[in-house]
Amino acid sequence: HYPHIGHFHHRVLSHESGAQKPARKIYDDALAAAGVEPHEVFFTDDLAVNIDAARALGLDAEVFTGVAPLLQHLEARGVPVDGR
């Protein structure tokens, strides 16, 4: 149902992790799966409570408010989007 999921190298699913956002464990599991430190991550979510939890762990995080703002957030961090 989600063809875009193939773009991601790692997936951490709550039913496999045994935790859901905003619990610290789900973020820790995701960081471990990706082999990165919190300061190396950009995280987006539509719930402010999840953004607050991510930021408390040191992740760079922004509330998802739509595709256009997300693309701006990514570009501001040097991530090329749509061939730009």
Side-chain angles (χ1 to χ4, degrees):
H1 298 298
Y2 304 102
H4 63 279
I5 203 78
H7 296 285
F8 296 92
H9 300 286
H10 308 283
R11 296 180 236 357
V12 175
L13 306 175
S14 59
H15 72 275
E16 293 175 356
S17 173
Q20 295 179 324
K21 299 175 287 183
R24 179 184 181 116
K25 183 179 185 320
I26 194 87
Y27 298 95
D28 287 341
D29 288 354
L31 293 168
V36 296
E37 296 296 321
H39 70 274
E40 299 176 280
V41 173
F42 173 73
F43 173 77
T44 188
D45 193 283
D46 62 339
L47 298 177
V49 65
N50 296 336
I51 297 302
D52 292 342
R55 287 179 178 162
L57 297 173
L59 282 73
D60 178 10
E62 297 287 345
V63 174
F64 179 82
T65 59
V67 173
L70 173 60
L71 295 177
Q72 290 173 344
H73 290 304
L74 292 171
E75 285 182 328
R77 290 158 175 85
V79 177
V81 294
D82 294 335
R84 292 183 250 169

